[in-house]
């Protein structure tokens, strides 16, 4: 029960962060920088990650530059391709 409650709270936090990011340009830029950092640490090119997520390269570049607010489902695909847990991705993002 506690694990389920924690997951629910985490999901609410992620949704709130993504929703607030649509109006906060600095958050989008910081998010994009974090995404790019994780991608580079994994040794994956932008083109390769885009292909793995079934998205076009320009869209991924817009996300990494902070010019685009990504959907939660896209973020889940990105985390799966990077082999990182969504929760871990956001723990690092908040540091």
């Amino acid at each position: 029960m506690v694990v389920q409650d924690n997951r629910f709270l985490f999901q609410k936090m992620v949704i709130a962060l993504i929703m607030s990011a649509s109006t906060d340009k600095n958050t989008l830029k910081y998010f994009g920088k974090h995404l790019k950092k994780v991608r580079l640490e994994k040794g994956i090119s932008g083109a390769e990650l885009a292909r793995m997520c079934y998205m076009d390269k320009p869209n991924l570049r817009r996300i990494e530059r902070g010019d685009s607010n990504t959907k939660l489902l896209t973020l889940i695909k990105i985390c799966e391709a990077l082999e990182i847990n969504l929760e871990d991705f956001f723990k690092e993002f908040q540091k």
Side-chain angles (χ1 to χ4, degrees):
M1 186 90 157
V2 174
V3 172
Q4 208 168 16
D5 289 341
N6 286 339
R7 286 180 186 244
F8 178 71
L9 290 173
F10 174 72
Q11 289 171 345
K12 284 178 64 173
M13 179 192 73
V14 168
I15 291 169
L17 181 63
I18 290 172
M19 296 302 287
S20 69
S22 65
T23 57
D24 185 355
K25 199 66 170 159
N26 289 331
T27 301
L28 288 176
K29 291 204 177 291
Y30 183 72
F31 173 84
K33 283 176 123 175
H34 178 63
L35 173 59
K36 187 173 183 177
K37 177 182 145 271
V38 171
R39 176 179 61 77
L40 293 173
E41 286 174 355
K42 298 281 186 170
I44 299 173
S45 72
E48 185 178 358
L49 180 59
R51 182 183 49 74
M52 293 165 74
C53 297
Y54 304 101
M55 63 191 321
D56 58 356
K57 291 184 286 186
N59 189 27
L60 179 62
R61 283 194 295 260
R62 282 190 296 275
I63 294 168
E64 288 187 342
R65 281 193 318 259
D67 293 337
S68 177
N69 186 10
T70 187
K71 296 177 184 176
L72 180 58
L73 293 176
T74 302
L75 180 57
I76 290 169
K77 286 182 190 177
I78 290 170
C79 286
E80 287 174 354
L82 292 173
E83 297 179 345
I84 185 169
N85 182 300
L86 186 63
E87 187 173 355
D88 293 338
F89 180 86
F90 275 100
K91 280 181 188 175
E92 290 294 317
F93 172 69
Q94 291 179 332
K95 289 184 180 179

